[in-house]
Amino acid sequence: MTNADRAELRAAADAVLARLVSDPSGSARLREDQWRAIEALVADKRRALVVQRTGWGKSAVYFVATSLLRAAGSGPTVIVSPLLALMRNQVEAAARAGIRARTINSSNTEEWETVQAEIAAGQVDVLLVSPERLNNPDFRDEVLPRLAAATGLLVVDEAHCISDWGHDFRPDYRRLRTMLTDLPAGVPVLATTATANARVTADVAEQLGTGVGTDALVLRGPLDRESLSLSVVQLPDAAHRLGWLADHLGELPGSGIIYTLTVAAAEEVTAYLRQCGHTVASYTGRTENADRQQAEDDLLANRVKALVATSALGMGFDKPDLGFVVHLGSPSSPIAYYQQVGRAGRGVDHAEVLLLPGKEDEAIWQYFASVAFPPEELVRRTLDVLARSDRPLSLPALEPLVELRRTRLETMLKVLDVDGAVRRVKGGWTTTGQPWSYDTERYAWVARQREAEQQAMRDYVRSTDCRMEFLRTTLDDEEASRCGRCDNCSGARFSDKVSEAALDAARGELGRPGVDLEPRKMWPTGLAAVGVSLKGRIPEGEQAFTGRALGRLSDIGWGNRLRPMVSPQAPDTPVPDDMASAVVSVLADWARGPGGWASGSDDAPPRPAGVVTVASRSRPVLIGSLAGRIAEVGRMPLLGSVEYAPEALESRFSRTNSAQRVRALHEAFVVPPQLAEAIEGVDGPVLLIDDCSDSGWTLAVAARLLRRAGAKGVFPLVLAVQS
């Protein structure tokens, strides 16, 4: 292509940009690095990696390139995009430039056939697909080959997800290696991210060379965000942090996002801020798709002051005038933190970024670290089970045969699929028979990197140096320098004072005890495969009633008190007086509430007539003291315990998944004769007391035994529930 041709192409590119940004004057111009990327894709048909800060305009590169390529007769652009929020934003942005974009993802299955027909008819310029689609058997075997053959441009958004050295590795993204290999010669590829350090950048660039043997063009820019003012406000406890939010939320510019580390915390914070008169909405992985979209729309239109969100809103949400991002709790990685704060200040001169770290943060980090890639023994066992099967095994069929929770099992299988050891087919998973080695060194390195990231986050909180420079240095930005805007550079802009009214309200919200404990109603699938003859619905006469817990371990209120008490290292001590009193108040509210035995409703169950405990090998004093207090206050007899069978006393019970848990528990407990006799002597249900419920199966098995022994009903009551 001649210089004159390139100049003409540049003019056409700027014209598309003007339409994209709704500039009727046509004066919009691409940045030089934007043009370099577009030129490489359109004129030279190269592969390129763009590592640029959020708000730099990475989406403009692929939309402008798409318009130019389509005008030259190329096939549609395929964008692999990780989140629905990003997809919705991208479809709207594409329309502004006259680009017809459609999506295929888990929320629009009813549209897939129509979308595929439109692609075949040449009516789609851009197709956005979620990475999970890449290994769906039908999509992978039938749709993906046709897409790869017809694609005019492949875009990998949030490309750091490709790299298992990155903070947000996703196995489904690794399927892109196959797609890169299968692309016809001369099809350009663009990978984009805002959060890649030097190692991740090198890894992604190397993968982009797959199948072509040439180096990718890497365009990496400085990561400073001149609109962001970073601050850390350290407060003594969760009540002070909530109270601080209530006092200062109205002072923050515009509307924004409040990130929490857990779903439970997001729901707690939302309830409290609404109680204080703030207009906020919750956005988590538990939020229904329709409610998520409504929440996004409300934030975009400034109908809410903030979304209180988990990392479900981590990538892709596009609101240029977002005025603030607050983190109630530290993410475990400064790279993830930089990515999330990058949502703010994209189209405004000033945005506030505040971190309010908490004492519970590290316990939450440890939980997420515990679900890393399984040890080799479990991986080999899974491969052996698949190899012995004469048919594909679905996740529900495979789960009872291996000691892994379903989500962790699925992630492991996806990694093995990428490594060529297993394959997902219709009906489930099969082994390929290909040799596979456990990469101990790589997994250990990733674990060490996670630990280093956690330490970097601790250092960020304590640092007295420039905070933006700290983050940029962590991401290997060679141009990192003092920002002059953060609290360490220019002085604190926010007081750590909290009003008594806000603090009292926060303590009331966090101290409010009581969480519903829904009973198990269905046995896990596949129990017959492990010799257990239970299946289907648990008979109503063998189920527990809905129970109660004092709090969730993931709460920032009672969770902070309960976590140390029920940790494996905790000493076994009597229940503290204030905690016992709180349980009594839970019991009183439960009795008077909807469906409670003292509610006065026609279908109210009878009042509990006795107290039973679940035997414990680790915390008998704690459970016994709690049961004794409840029996005394409720003027009920303490009937005894559901005990371990003699042969189960020394057994270790699997906690990995439901099927394995039930297999271990269903013959582990017995109702002693004296307890059965005591149950017959009371006229009413029993309260079943335990310390903690994680899966709910211990309570389900114990309740079944008590009901079969003659109990007229079972009300579970525990100190803590896992989530």
Side-chain angles (χ1 to χ4, degrees):
M1 184 176 284
T2 66
N3 289 339
D5 291 336
R6 291 178 187 271
E8 185 178 341
L9 188 67
R10 172 68 189 262
D14 285 334
V16 176
L17 177 69
R19 294 198 300 272
L20 185 66
V21 299
S22 303
D23 176 18
S25 70
S27 60
R29 293 291 181 271
L30 291 159
R31 295 189 178 97
E32 281 309 305
D33 270 2
Q34 287 176 315
W35 165 242
R36 285 183 64 198
I38 293 166
E39 183 181 32
L41 297 169
V42 179
D44 303 325
K45 301 297 191 294
R46 289 189 65 183
R47 296 182 176 186
L49 169 60
V50 172
V51 183
Q52 296 283 0
R53 64 184 184 273
T54 301
W56 175 85
K58 295 182 287 293
S59 61
V61 170
Y62 50 75
F63 282 138
V64 171
T66 293
S67 182
L68 298 176
L69 287 166
R70 290 291 278 165
S74 294
T77 292
V78 176
I79 302 176
V80 182
S81 169
L83 286 184
L84 300 183
L86 177 64
M87 290 189 180
R88 287 192 284 268
N89 292 153
Q90 301 291 49
V91 170
E92 294 167 4
R96 292 197 297 270
I99 296 170
R100 296 160 296 181
R102 298 299 304 271
T103 72
I104 291 181
N105 60 70
S106 59
S107 71
N108 72 338
T109 53
E110 73 285 351
E111 299 177 12
W112 289 1
E113 288 189 14
T114 301
V115 173
Q116 290 171 25
E118 291 174 350
I119 293 169
Q123 298 170 355
V124 174
D125 298 315
V126 171
L127 175 66
L128 294 107
V129 299
S130 58
E132 292 74 21
R133 289 299 97 210
L134 299 177
N135 204 30
N136 172 277
D138 286 339
F139 189 87
R140 180 196 64 211
D141 297 336
E142 298 176 20
V143 179
L144 194 57
R146 295 199 303 271
L147 270 182
T151 295
L153 169 65
L154 174 64
V155 178
V156 184
D157 213 354
E158 307 298 349
H160 59 274
C161 297
I162 296 176
S163 174
D164 52 6
W165 308 116
H167 74 280
D168 197 20
F169 164 61
R170 300 187 182 192
D172 289 304
Y173 256 67
R174 293 280 292 274
R175 301 285 351 149
L176 287 164
R177 287 183 172 179
T178 302
M179 191 170 180
L180 287 168
T181 301
D182 293 343
L183 283 176
V187 175
V189 178
L190 172 67
T192 68
T193 182
T195 51
N197 58 19
R199 175 149 195 166
V200 172
T201 298
D203 187 27
V204 174
E206 180 182 352
Q207 292 185 48
L208 284 180
T210 300
V212 292
T214 57
D215 291 339
L217 171 67
V218 178
L219 297 172
R220 182 182 173 96
L223 299 179
D224 190 22
R225 292 289 308 282
E226 295 180 358
S227 62
L228 300 186
S229 297
L230 305 178
S231 299
V232 174
V233 180
Q234 301 208 51
L235 296 159
D237 54 35
H240 280 80
R241 286 183 291 140
L242 274 190
W244 189 95
L245 270 179
D247 280 346
H248 296 278
L249 186 57
E251 301 170 12
L252 297 176
S255 54
I257 301 170
I258 300 168
Y259 280 110
T260 65
L261 299 185
T262 67
V263 171
E267 293 171 350
E268 277 183 306
V269 173
T270 301
Y272 167 72
L273 291 176
R274 284 176 173 172
Q275 172 190 321
C276 294
H278 294 289
T279 307
V280 297
S282 181
Y283 189 110
T284 73
R286 197 181 291 169
T287 308
E288 295 291 336
N289 277 334
D291 294 333
R292 282 194 188 196
Q293 186 156 3
Q294 183 62 56
E296 292 170 20
D297 291 343
D298 287 344
L299 184 60
L300 287 168
N302 296 314
R303 290 189 291 265
V304 294
K305 181 65 177 178
L307 292 189
V308 185
T310 61
S311 59
L313 195 65
M315 290 188 291
F317 185 75
D318 184 14
K319 178 178 168 61
D321 63 339
L322 200 75
F324 63 89
V325 169
V326 176
H327 278 76
L328 194 71
S330 297
S332 60
S333 160
I335 304 174
Y337 182 63
Y338 176 87
Q339 180 189 66
Q340 290 177 347
V341 303
R343 304 266 67 80
R346 298 174 61 175
V348 292
D349 292 336
H350 175 75
E352 293 289 351
V353 172
L354 296 109
L355 173 60
L356 280 60
K359 294 177 181 177
E360 70 276 8
D361 298 348
E362 300 216 10
I364 296 168
W365 297 351
Q366 293 308 315
Y367 169 76
F368 287 117
S370 72
V371 295
F373 196 71
E376 183 172 6
E377 178 189 359
L378 286 176
V379 182
R380 295 290 180 193
R381 192 177 309 164
T382 305
L383 291 172
D384 288 344
V385 168
L386 288 173
R388 290 196 302 268
S389 177
D390 58 1
R391 58 184 175 83
L393 292 178
S394 65
L395 284 171
L398 186 57
E399 187 178 25
L401 306 175
V402 296
E403 294 190 5
L404 287 169
R405 291 185 187 271
R406 186 170 302 184
T407 52
R408 196 176 180 201
L409 173 62
E410 183 177 23
T411 299
M412 181 191 76
L413 288 169
K414 289 177 178 178
V415 172
L416 292 175
D417 188 353
V418 170
D419 290 345
V422 303
R423 180 172 174 81
R424 187 180 173 194
V425 297
K426 287 186 178 179
W429 297 84
T430 63
T431 182
T432 63
Q434 296 297 316
W436 178 83
S437 61
Y438 189 90
D439 195 340
T440 303
E441 183 178 347
R442 184 177 72 176
Y443 301 138
W445 195 97
V446 171
R448 290 195 299 272
Q449 176 170 281
R450 298 294 181 265
E451 292 170 2
E453 288 174 347
Q454 292 176 8
Q455 184 57 50
M457 207 63 218
R458 296 184 194 102
D459 294 342
Y460 175 82
V461 168
R462 293 192 294 260
S463 177
T464 56
D465 295 326
C466 175
R467 299 197 189 278
M468 181 58 79
E469 183 178 19
F470 183 102
L471 294 178
R472 293 175 66 185
T473 300
T474 302
L475 271 81
D476 299 318
D477 182 353
E478 295 179 356
E479 299 181 35
S481 59
R482 291 181 64 83
C483 71
R485 304 178 303 273
C486 71
D487 55 353
N488 287 339
C489 285
S490 61
R493 289 180 303 286
F494 296 95
S495 164
D496 60 0
K497 303 300 182 186
V498 179
S499 70
E500 286 300 323
L503 189 56
D504 288 346
R507 285 172 174 157
E509 179 66 28
L510 295 176
R512 183 176 294 115
V515 176
D516 282 354
L517 196 58
E518 291 297 329
R520 288 287 189 172
K521 296 182 179 180
M522 299 287 294
W523 294 114
T525 56
L527 287 175
V530 290
V532 179
S533 59
L534 301 172
K535 65 178 182 179
R537 186 173 181 83
I538 301 173
E540 200 156 317
E542 296 182 2
Q543 289 182 25
F545 294 133
T546 298
R548 291 292 188 279
L550 175 58
R552 295 185 181 93
L553 293 181
S554 54
D555 287 346
I556 56 175
W558 277 107
N560 284 342
R561 290 284 312 279
L562 292 166
R563 276 190 298 273
M565 180 167 288
V566 300
S567 73
Q569 298 79 26
D572 183 25
T573 59
V575 62
D577 289 343
D578 65 330
M579 195 171 285
S581 298
V583 175
V584 170
S585 71
V586 169
L587 198 58
D589 290 342
W590 185 8
R592 294 189 296 266
W597 53 87
S599 63
S601 62
D602 294 338
D603 58 350
R607 180 185 188 276
V611 176
V612 177
T613 62
V614 177
S616 173
R617 292 179 291 194
S618 57
R619 283 183 282 273
V621 174
L622 177 66
I623 294 171
S625 66
L626 176 62
R629 293 286 294 272
I630 296 300
E632 178 185 358
V633 172
R635 299 178 182 177
M636 294 176 286
L638 188 55
L639 303 177
S641 293
V642 177
E643 299 286 355
Y644 287 107
E647 60 272 20
L649 282 172
E650 302 302 323
S651 301
R652 292 180 60 85
F653 295 153
S654 168
R655 294 179 180 270
T656 54
N657 64 49
S658 291
Q660 290 286 335
R661 184 77 169 147
V662 171
R663 181 181 71 116
L665 290 170
H666 89 289
E667 291 182 348
F669 288 112
V670 295
V671 174
Q674 63 271 26
L675 175 57
E677 184 178 344
I679 288 172
E680 290 181 3
V682 297
D683 186 22
V686 298
L687 281 173
L688 179 62
I689 309 294
D690 203 358
D691 57 345
C692 186
S693 175
D694 52 4
S695 67
W697 288 118
T698 297
L699 295 173
V701 169
R704 176 176 181 263
L705 289 173
L706 291 170
R707 294 300 299 270
R708 290 165 72 96
K712 297 178 177 62
V714 177
F715 288 103
L717 179 64
V718 302
L719 288 173
V721 63
Q722 184 71 46
S723 61

